[in-house]
């Protein structure tokens, strides 16, 4: 037997969420990181609604919201004045219980995840480095370097590479990581300051290609600055300090910085690994895909990878490894679309020249507020940025369609008359059947036979508006996506689905 079912290399948000979900699913994990302590500086700030939905399933959503700041508006600044303001509230109020934009920095995010893992008896092994690993029929043999320098052999059934852009797991697998690096340099600064934009709005200076974003953080006058720097002399980026870039924040946004807690610079890349899986080894997060910060998608996408893989590993460890074949197709397709989308957005924001400047400073401030008056535009933008629109319709796991909902879609969210919602049963982290209306006897019998939970919700018109169909069958995966959608009378279809994808469960429950 292996020392541990799953070895996780890398303790950033992706690795920590993978460890948390696996632990909650009853799977023993070992999580290592070569860094001696958690990061104290971070670039990722946005926590999207879909991530909060995942966090609700493991009881983490309230703590994240309490530690973050809800963004009310985006203010666009040109030539030292506010050129436009766009309200963010309400766009997704009928789509998710988290219809807001939330800023919660990655460093605080990691500390919270580490604390929750610790409460479950799991600790991150610091200063522990993955040197190499080999795969065999029954698992993985990994060589680790311990904090004191000694080497250790670790046997695991699976290994998860959550070890960032310079992933050792990806390098060991020989998986290509095509893409490129944007010109110019990014910086991020954690500051305390006062001035004109002293509220909880997101401020964006769009005057030129060296764009600047000002994010409010928890605490009085606490801000995170993110910006770009062009035209640096060769070799000088390593010696850049906040003094070299503070002029724009002070002049354009009229921010009076009293204290700089920390400052760092970094390059921005856009890459997607050619594969996310090699037998018993998996790539997640920045080890699998990296892209520009446009839209605040990076950290959330890694967390989505972790949730997708966690329940599949848990199921595979009980018997039925076939389900692991669906991890790469589901996540790599989204990663490729995301990199292409954020790449186009980044190029638009940072392009130089008269036309680009005209679009940024004149057209965008004029057109964007008008577009936001259109409910359809606000909802589309919210669905896209919040990742609630992500679906796995083309996955082998996804079957059927009923109403507006197809297999592979995220389960539509609806409020219930009781004051709760239909997402509450998802905290069980298990396969379950939902019926909105009345469940037929044949379906109830099949669910009892298969020992799968059946949740029946009284029908209301809001369910139809959400895309659900009265009395239909929705087999919901542990991550809240629909595996099978169809006629509630099709109990045999449910049995067949279980026989294909959950054979051990199906056999043991007959």
């Amino acid at each position: 037997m292996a020392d541990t079912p799953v070895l996780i290399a890398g303790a950033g948000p992706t690795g920590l969420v993978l460890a948390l979900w696996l632990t909650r699913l009853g799977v023993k994990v070992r999580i290592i990181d070569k860094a001696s302590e958690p990061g104290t500086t971070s670039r990722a700030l946005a926590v999207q609604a879909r991530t909060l939905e995942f966090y609700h399933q493991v009881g983490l959503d309230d703590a994240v919201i309490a530690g973050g700041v809800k963004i009310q508006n985006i203010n666009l600044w040109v030539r030292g004045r506010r050129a436009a303001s766009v309200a963010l509230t309400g766009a997704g109020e009928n789509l998710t219980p988290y219809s807001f934009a939330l800023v919660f920095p990655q460093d605080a995010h990691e500390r919270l995840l580490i604390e929750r893992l610790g409460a479950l008896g799991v600790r991150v092994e610091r200063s522990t480095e993955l040197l190499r690993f080999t795969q065999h029929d029954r698992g993985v043999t990994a060589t680790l370097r311990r904090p004191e320098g000694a080497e250790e052999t670790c046997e695991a059934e699976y290994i998860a590479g959550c070890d960032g852009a310079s992933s050792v797991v990806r390098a060991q697998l020989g998986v290509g990581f095509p893409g490129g690096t944007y010109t110019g340099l990014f910086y991020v600064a954690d500051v305390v300051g006062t001035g004109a934009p002293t509220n909880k709005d997101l401020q964006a200076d769009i005057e030129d290609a060296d764009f600047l974003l000002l994010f409010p953080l928890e605490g009085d006058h606490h801000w995170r600055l993110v910006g770009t720097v062009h035209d640096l002399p060769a070799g000088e980026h390593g010696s850049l300090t906040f003094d070299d870039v503070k002029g724009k924040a002070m002049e354009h946004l009229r921010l009076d910085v009293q204290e700089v807690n920390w400052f760092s610079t970094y390059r921005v890349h856009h890459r997607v690994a050619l594969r996310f899986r090699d037998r018993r080894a998996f790539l997640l997060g920045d080890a699998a895909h990296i892209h520009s910060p446009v839209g605040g998608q990076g950290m959330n996408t890694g967390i989505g990878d972790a949730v997708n893989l966690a329940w599949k590993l848990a199921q595979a460890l009980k018997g039925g490894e076939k389900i692991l074949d669906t991890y790469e197709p589901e996540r790599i397709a989204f990663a490729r679309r995301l990199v292409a989308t954020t790449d186009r957005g980044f190029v638009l924001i940072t392009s130089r020249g008269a036309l680009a400047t005209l679009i940024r400073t004149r057209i965008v401030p004029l057109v964007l507020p008008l577009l936001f008056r259109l409910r359809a535009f606000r909802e589309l933008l919210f669905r896209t940025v919040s990742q609630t629109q992500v679906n796995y319709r083309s996955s082998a796991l996804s079957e059927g369609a009923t109403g507006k909902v197809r297999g592979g879609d995220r389960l539509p969210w609806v409020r219930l008359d009781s004051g709760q919602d239909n997402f509450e049963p998802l905290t069980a982290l298990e396969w379950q059947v939902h019926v909105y209306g009345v469940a037929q006897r044949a379906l109830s019998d099949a669910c009892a036979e298969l020992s799968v939970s059946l949740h029946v919700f009284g029908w209301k018109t809001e369910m139809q508006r959400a895309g659900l169909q009265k009395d239909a069958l929705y087999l919901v995966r542990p991550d809240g996506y629909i595996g099978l959608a169809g006629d509630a009378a099709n109990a045999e279809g449910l049995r067949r689905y279980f026989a294909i994808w959950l054979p051990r469960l199906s056999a043991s429950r007959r």
Side-chain angles (χ1 to χ4, degrees):
M1 293 293 293
D3 296 339
T4 185
V6 182
L7 173 63
I8 302 172
T14 299
L16 293 168
V17 170
L18 178 62
L20 179 61
W21 265 68
L22 283 169
T23 302
R24 287 291 305 272
L25 287 162
V27 176
K28 182 181 178 182
V29 303
R30 184 174 182 185
I31 180 168
I32 64 172
D33 198 291
K34 66 179 181 180
S36 59
E37 60 183 15
T40 55
T41 64
S42 63
R43 296 171 296 201
L45 291 162
V47 180
Q48 304 296 352
R50 190 66 182 118
T51 296
L52 290 172
E53 291 174 357
F54 290 142
Y55 281 176
H56 174 70
Q57 292 187 252
V58 292
L60 195 65
D61 53 331
D62 288 343
V64 171
I65 294 169
V69 173
K70 294 180 182 179
I71 303 298
Q72 303 296 320
N73 305 285
I74 297 178
N75 296 318
L76 305 180
W77 292 72
V78 177
R79 298 182 181 89
R81 67 176 184 85
R82 192 172 67 177
S85 183
V86 174
L88 298 181
T89 55
E93 61 184 356
N94 295 317
L95 304 174
T96 174
Y98 310 102
S99 58
F100 47 82
L102 185 74
V103 169
F104 185 57
Q106 181 181 329
D107 46 348
H109 202 147
E110 289 183 15
R111 289 194 298 269
L112 177 60
L113 289 166
I114 290 168
E115 175 189 311
R116 290 302 175 94
L117 276 172
L120 295 173
V122 178
R123 68 177 184 86
V124 177
E125 297 179 48
R126 295 285 173 189
S127 302
T128 302
E129 184 179 1
L130 173 67
L131 298 178
R132 54 191 173 274
F133 68 93
T134 57
Q135 301 189 65
H136 47 85
D137 290 342
R138 299 190 62 186
V140 174
T141 301
T143 302
L144 313 178
R145 179 179 288 130
R146 302 289 297 159
E148 67 279 5
E151 293 189 4
E152 173 197 352
T153 299
C154 171
E155 296 289 340
E157 294 193 51
Y158 299 98
I159 185 170
C162 307
D163 48 346
S166 301
S167 170
V168 173
V169 176
R170 191 184 63 245
Q172 281 277 294
L173 295 175
V175 173
F177 202 35
T181 303
Y182 295 107
T183 59
L185 188 72
F186 265 74
Y187 73 86
V188 58
D190 191 274
V191 305
V192 175
T194 59
T198 52
N199 52 34
K200 297 302 183 181
D201 294 348
L202 169 62
Q203 317 294 335
D205 179 74
I206 57 173
E207 185 166 337
D208 52 37
D210 290 345
F211 76 87
L212 173 66
L213 301 176
L214 185 61
F215 295 89
L217 302 183
E218 185 69 15
D220 292 338
H221 311 303
H222 191 187
W223 300 88
R224 190 68 55 87
L225 281 164
V226 178
T228 55
V229 182
H230 287 283
D231 302 328
L232 284 173
E236 284 197 9
H237 63 85
S239 59
L240 195 72
T241 69
F242 183 70
D243 287 339
D244 297 311
V245 299
K246 68 179 182 181
K248 174 177 286 190
M250 296 176 69
E251 296 168 13
H252 292 200
L253 296 181
R254 292 180 276 167
L255 179 69
D256 182 14
V257 176
Q258 282 102 37
E259 184 179 349
V260 180
N261 296 321
W262 52 262
F263 174 83
S264 66
T265 61
Y266 59 99
R267 297 285 182 183
V268 175
H269 307 268
H270 49 104
R271 301 179 186 276
V272 180
L274 294 178
R275 288 177 290 143
F276 285 11
R277 181 194 180 191
D278 183 321
R279 293 170 289 167
R280 292 178 172 269
F282 299 86
L283 299 176
L284 303 82
D286 286 357
H289 46 80
I290 50 177
H291 35 80
S292 88
V294 171
Q297 301 294 296
M299 179 177 66
N300 295 274
T301 304
I303 290 170
D305 294 342
V307 172
N308 188 287
L309 181 61
W311 68 268
K312 293 174 181 177
L313 283 173
Q315 184 171 314
L317 287 163
K318 295 176 184 176
E321 288 195 348
K322 180 179 179 180
I323 199 127
L324 293 175
D325 294 338
T326 66
Y327 167 70
E328 178 182 298
E330 288 187 353
R331 296 307 295 174
I332 202 169
F334 174 59
R336 286 169 175 164
R337 289 195 305 271
L338 181 62
V339 167
T341 302
T342 57
D343 181 60
R344 289 193 294 269
F346 184 84
V347 170
L348 174 64
I349 291 171
T350 60
S351 293
R352 295 182 158 188
L355 179 59
T357 300
L358 176 66
I359 292 173
R360 271 194 305 271
T361 61
R362 298 291 182 87
I363 297 178
V364 169
L366 178 65
V367 172
L368 197 60
L370 297 177
L371 289 174
F372 263 78
R373 294 178 185 175
L374 303 175
R375 183 179 182 85
F377 176 82
R378 293 199 311 272
E379 283 200 2
L380 175 61
L381 187 63
F382 180 86
R383 287 179 186 273
T384 302
V385 175
S386 69
Q387 298 196 358
T388 56
Q389 191 166 256
V390 173
N391 69 75
Y392 304 129
R393 289 182 173 184
S394 60
S395 172
L397 266 178
S398 304
E399 291 187 27
T402 182
K404 297 178 182 178
V405 176
R406 295 173 55 185
D409 287 350
R410 160 187 164 273
L411 177 69
W413 174 74
V414 290
R415 297 183 183 91
L416 304 178
D417 292 336
S418 64
Q420 294 187 312
D421 58 39
N422 65 326
F423 277 17
E424 204 58 37
L426 302 182
T427 58
L429 306 183
E430 64 180 7
W431 289 90
Q432 54 193 261
V433 170
H434 285 206
V435 173
Y436 298 84
V438 178
Q440 297 192 17
R441 178 64 181 272
L443 177 60
S444 299
D445 290 345
C447 289
E449 174 189 317
L450 296 167
S451 296
V452 59
S453 299
L454 171 61
H455 298 276
V456 180
F457 304 91
W459 180 256
K460 52 190 297 188
T461 55
E462 288 86 343
M463 294 172 176
Q464 184 174 14
R465 286 198 291 268
L468 297 164
Q469 183 165 303
K470 188 177 181 181
D471 302 337
L473 156 69
Y474 300 96
L475 175 62
V476 185
R477 306 174 357 172
D479 57 358
Y481 288 91
I482 295 169
L484 172 66
D487 190 333
N490 188 17
E492 285 306 311
L494 181 65
R495 292 187 178 94
R496 178 185 52 79
Y497 189 98
F498 263 66
I500 295 172
W501 292 108
L502 298 92
R504 181 68 60 88
L505 294 175
S506 181
S508 66
R509 292 170 174 174
R510 289 184 183 276

